Amino acid sequence: MSDVGMLLKAITVGESTGRAIPDAATGETIGYAPVHTVADLDTTVERARERQPEWASRGHAERSRLLHLAADEIDAHAEELAVIIAREQGKPLNGAGARFEAAGCAAWIRNAADTTIEPEVLFEAEGTRSELHYVPLGVVAAIGPWNWPALIGIWQIAPSLRMGNAVVVKPSSYTPLSVLAVVELMNRHLPEGVLTVVAGNREVGSRIASHPKIDKIMFTGSTETGREIVRSSAHNLARLTLELGGNDPGIVLPGADAKVIAESLFWGIFINTGQTCAALKRLYVHDSVYDEVVAELKELAESTPMGHGTDEASLLGPLSTPQQFDIVSRLVADAVERGATIVTGGEAAPELGKNFFRTTIVTDIEDGAALVDEEQFGPVIPVIRYTDLEDAIVRANASEQGLGASVWGDPEEARKVAERIDSGTVWINQHGTLNPMVPFGGIKASGYGLEFGAHGLKSVAAPKVITV
């Protein structure tokens, strides 16, 4: 049996008891994921609560050592993990794809293990000293999405374990195998019961949100579901970190060199075939450089290969689910009905397999069109012409979401604009680049709470003041 087959065998169940998980590009069944129930969740949470104190008592150094071993295990099986991700989620092996995601899992674990938080002296005078410490919360529930299932799972899991919590993971029902594989590899080095997957349906997710014995919920997904979690968690006051996606704007300033920025702009839009919360979703380009920017994006869209995730030549893949394919198709059709121009793409690519939609550039479109106002989450970008920078800034800030944004052009001028954008992160001459040491989180309807680095560790711990 191949290494990929061995890893799949370790995480899947039989056809009679599991749920078939399809290859995103072909529909072929990859394996059968377990189907856990609310009763399974309750049992798992109880076990996690029992095991968490011993895990916390091991201290930061020992927990960090074991996390490094878990990262080494992922590195040793990175190719097998990448193939599972490529087939289940659809992202290609190469580029910023499945191999990138698998490697990122190990890198983010190591960063969480190595980031230190020292007690902070708040006040000191003769005879008195007050210190701020961070202690474990207890049980953290990690509810992940389907677009970067393994990596975003690690963003939730690694800091939570590092700070001494036990973790119960609820993967997306569309991509459970990637998460099951990551947890399987990590659990080869972790104590039993401190990291567990509950692969259930929406009923299980709802129970997590209201569970009286879960101390913290980390959720990445839609704003609508985030609001449901807030409502459900209110009675037991579980702490929340919510990353709820975004409709990220980009503003290209007059004088920007289209050829210089084109490739970074393209991948800021189309990373993971546009299925990234912090991807660029709507692009405002000054009239003086509009045609050049559109031409450069068109050339890249038509020359960047799209295909099955395991095809070494592919750099773009399918939409992960039929539902997402339908959303993208609807938004493009609506844009055409409104009189927008399809510069390239604009249609399905059935010859490539299931759920493929050609890389699409849309012009002659304005705010108010669904493709601009809604998060399309696919390989489509509306390019909006502007002449007045003040107007572009107003448009960029008009969305209810505020996860990421970017400004392109002269760095000094771009910084002035960036300071006026309502967003958790604003990039200059790049978009969507993340650093495990730099905090990341949204504002407005994109959620609240920070991940990564010291800020991320503090978000999965309880502040405790000790005064002597």
Side-chain angles (χ1 to χ4, degrees):
M1 182 182 294
S2 69
D3 286 340
V4 173
M6 292 176 66
L7 186 55
L8 273 173
K9 184 177 180 181
I11 62 175
T12 54
V13 297
E15 180 177 357
S16 61
T17 58
R19 184 171 59 83
I21 304 300
D23 183 301
T26 67
E28 174 191 0
T29 297
I30 305 169
Y32 295 88
V35 180
H36 295 127
T37 64
V38 168
D40 294 325
L41 171 67
D42 290 341
T43 300
T44 298
V45 172
E46 288 290 348
R47 186 186 308 117
R49 293 197 75 83
E50 292 171 1
R51 301 299 170 86
Q52 184 271 327
E54 192 278 330
W55 173 243
S57 72
R58 294 189 178 215
H60 289 299
E62 174 63 6
R63 293 196 299 270
S64 294
R65 184 185 72 83
L66 293 176
L67 285 172
H68 270 282
L69 292 177
D72 293 343
E73 190 75 28
I74 289 174
D75 272 343
H77 298 275
E79 185 66 12
E80 302 99 278
L81 176 59
V83 170
I84 292 171
I85 294 169
R87 295 194 65 197
E88 180 183 48
Q89 193 277 330
K91 62 171 58 71
L93 288 169
N94 291 318
R99 290 186 177 119
F100 171 84
E101 181 167 358
C105 290
W108 249 270
I109 291 172
R110 292 191 180 100
N111 184 267
D114 292 341
T115 300
T116 59
I117 297 180
E118 300 294 340
E120 179 184 350
V121 177
L122 304 173
F123 177 82
E124 189 167 19
E126 184 176 354
T128 302
R129 179 184 176 94
S130 294
E131 297 176 345
L132 178 62
H133 296 251
Y134 287 88
V135 299
L137 288 165
V139 176
V140 174
I143 306 177
W146 50 261
N147 58 331
W148 293 88
L151 184 56
I152 292 179
I154 289 299
W155 293 352
Q156 301 169 333
I157 293 166
S160 300
L161 290 174
R162 163 69 171 75
M163 295 305 289
N165 304 290
V167 183
V168 176
V169 184
K170 162 66 172 69
S172 166
S173 58
Y174 296 118
T175 53
L177 300 182
S178 302
V179 178
L180 285 161
V182 165
V183 172
E184 160 67 21
L185 296 172
M186 293 186 72
N187 273 337
R188 294 176 183 180
H189 300 279
L190 298 174
E192 192 272 335
V194 302
L195 175 61
T196 315
V197 178
V198 179
N201 55 23
R202 288 181 63 88
E203 186 180 17
V204 170
S206 297
R207 173 61 173 165
I208 288 174
S210 62
H211 204 292
K213 295 186 178 181
I214 289 175
D215 303 286
K216 166 89 183 190
I217 300 170
M218 302 187 75
F219 171 73
T220 297
S222 72
T223 296
E224 178 184 356
T225 302
R227 289 185 171 122
E228 292 177 5
I229 289 172
V230 173
R231 286 190 289 268
S232 298
S233 64
H235 78 284
N236 64 326
L237 298 179
R239 291 165 170 80
L240 302 176
T241 295
L242 304 174
E243 196 267 86
L244 305 180
N247 191 9
D248 289 17
I251 298 177
V252 179
L253 300 177
D257 189 324
K259 290 186 179 299
V260 170
I261 67 173
E263 187 168 357
S264 294
L265 192 56
F266 181 86
W267 288 113
I269 298 165
F270 294 111
I271 184 173
N272 194 26
T273 317
Q275 298 168 110
T276 298
C277 297
L280 203 163
K281 307 293 193 339
R282 50 198 172 107
L283 183 61
Y284 299 91
V285 182
H286 190 265
D287 179 68
S288 63
V289 292
Y290 186 89
D291 292 340
E292 292 90 337
V293 168
V294 169
E296 293 291 335
L297 290 176
K298 177 179 185 292
E299 182 178 341
L300 286 166
E302 294 176 348
S303 63
T304 303
M306 177 180 282
H308 192 286
T310 57
D311 183 343
E312 294 285 354
S314 298
L315 291 176
L316 296 169
L319 278 306
S320 291
T321 69
Q323 293 88 337
Q324 197 57 38
F325 177 87
D326 290 344
I327 290 171
V328 171
S329 300
R330 171 181 63 81
L331 291 173
V332 172
D334 177 76
V336 171
E337 288 178 8
R338 291 170 176 267
T341 298
I342 304 298
V343 175
T344 188
E347 61 183 4
E351 73 280 6
L352 297 177
K354 290 177 61 67
N355 304 326
F356 281 92
F357 199 94
R358 300 190 198 284
T359 312
T360 302
I361 312 294
V362 180
T363 60
D364 300 319
I365 191 168
E366 297 291 340
D367 297 75
L371 182 60
V372 179
D373 294 354
E374 298 179 21
E375 182 182 23
Q376 67 272 37
F377 226 65
V380 181
I381 186 67
V383 187
I384 304 113
R385 188 189 303 266
Y386 78 89
T387 55
D388 178 58
L389 181 57
E390 293 299 317
D391 178 57
I393 294 171
V394 169
R395 294 188 190 195
N397 288 335
S399 173
E400 73 165 357
Q401 294 175 312
L403 186 61
S406 55
V407 187
W408 304 76
D410 176 78
E412 290 302 317
E413 294 302 314
R415 185 182 181 95
K416 295 175 186 176
V417 175
E419 292 173 352
R420 300 175 60 194
I421 300 297
D422 298 333
S423 179
T425 298
V426 183
W427 292 276
I428 293 176
N429 292 324
Q430 56 185 307
H431 192 106
T433 54
L434 299 178
N435 182 325
M437 291 301 296
V438 177
F440 177 72
I443 61 172
K444 300 194 290 187
S446 288
Y448 46 77
L450 292 172
E451 299 178 90
F452 309 164
H455 290 82
L457 293 180
K458 291 176 182 179
S459 77
V460 288
K464 182 175 184 176
V465 174
I466 298 178
T467 296
V468 179

